[in-house]
Amino acid sequence: LARSFDGAAAEARIAELAAAPFDGRRAGTEGNQAAGQTIADAFATYGLEPAGDLQADGSRSYFQQFPLDFFVTYTAPPVLEVFGPDGQAAGPYEFRHDYSSYIRNYAGQGDAEGPVVWANYCRHEDFDVIDAVGAVALCRQGGGEDPTRNAIEHGAAGLLLIGDPDAPIDRIGRYNVPLVPVPLPTFLIDPSVVDDLLAGSGYTIDDLSIQFAGLPLETSAHLSVALEQREGVEGRNVLGILPGSDPAF
């Protein structure tokens, strides 16, 4: 079996499943259903036996259904706009390439617009030296405190978290139910967006590595995240068994 493995064909299959029609294969979505069916069809072609849920006729399906306790979907594409000191819009920015929504803890849906302030790690002590009320806080990650909670407690209207330049911007983990009824619109942003946020300040993104004190910037930002939570949504795994040659097993 190992000798028959076709690396080029496997790479092509991965590229197919990662392409736009499957929309990230997120559990509970149409893209996930379509990707699962594609994999199940391939299992059948390769001779794998179905190992999923029992069906009404006593046979097994390739699919193992499971409930999703928390499922949200966008009712409109999330929006990030940055305006320079002259009021002119920078960008445009592409969702899931330049920025991605951050839905957990105190962050979630909402609409925010305001001046941008640099708040270092978004720790309580970072907010002590700036006025973040009604502002969009710009923070790096890794401060040891929850940036979403600290930002909302200090009156911020929105939050922008600088992402890891070596990691995909949309790899942010699972969505969690926000802990407050009116959460904080929050985006994880690619470092390239930070250059636009720093316009007119005299700072670069490299300067921020040693700029620990918070400060107001010369730009403003608009964040919009519109979500809908759905009940009764299911995901599914694709399971198959490759029959062996020993009848005892």
Side-chain angles (χ1 to χ4, degrees), residues 3-27:
R3 292 176 182 175
S4 66
F5 179 75
D6 187 334
E11 184 176 8
R13 177 70 74 179
I14 292 171
E16 176 190 1
L17 292 171
F22 298 113
D23 195 28
R25 308 177 307 283
R26 181 180 168 222

Side-chain angles (χ1 to χ4, degrees), residues 215-226:
L215 54 90
L217 299 177
E218 302 296 322
T219 54
S220 62
H222 171 227
L223 294 70
S224 180
V225 184

Side-chain angles (χ1 to χ4, degrees), residues 7-8 22 27 30 51 72 76 89 121 141 152 159 199 201 225:
F22 298 113
E30 292 182 1
V72 293
Y121 284 110
Q141 301 183 82
I152 203 170
L159 175 62
S201 70
V225 184

Side-chain angles (χ1 to χ4, degrees), residues 197-209:
L197 292 164
L198 295 176
S201 70
Y203 290 92
T204 67
I205 189 170
D206 291 333
D207 295 331
L208 296 184
S209 65

Side-chain angles (χ1 to χ4, degrees), residues 12 16 33 40-41 46 78 89 121 123 128 130 133 138 146 157 160 166 172 175 178 182 219 222 232:
E16 176 190 1
Q33 297 285 313
D41 291 344
Y46 298 147
Y121 284 110
R123 296 172 298 201
D128 288 342
I130 56 172
V133 176
L138 172 64
D146 183 352
L160 298 172
D166 298 321
I172 60 173
Y175 295 147
V182 183
T219 54
H222 171 227

Side-chain angles (χ1 to χ4, degrees), residues 80-153:
L80 171 62
E81 296 177 297
V82 175
F83 301 95
D86 58 0
Q88 294 298 309
Y93 309 112
E94 181 181 352
F95 182 55
R96 292 198 176 108
H97 182 270
D98 300 308
Y99 66 102
S100 188
S101 55
Y102 190 92
I103 304 169
R104 66 190 71 174
N105 300 347
Y106 296 82
Q109 70 174 7
D111 194 272
E113 186 167 358
V116 180
V117 295
W118 168 244
N120 196 22
Y121 284 110
C122 268
R123 296 172 298 201
H124 274 292
E125 62 191 68
D126 296 320
F127 283 104
D128 288 342
V129 297
I130 56 172
D131 181 7
V133 176
V136 175
L138 172 64
C139 299
R140 57 177 136 225
Q141 301 183 82
E145 298 178 15
D146 183 352
T148 64
R149 176 173 180 172
N150 290 344
I152 203 170
E153 286 183 350

Side-chain angles (χ1 to χ4, degrees), residues 222-244:
H222 171 227
L223 294 70
S224 180
V225 184
L227 299 171
E228 176 185 61
Q229 184 173 349
R230 295 181 182 173
E231 305 292 339
V233 178
E234 291 189 332
R236 61 183 187 179
N237 297 315
V238 187
L239 304 179
I241 296 175
L242 183 65

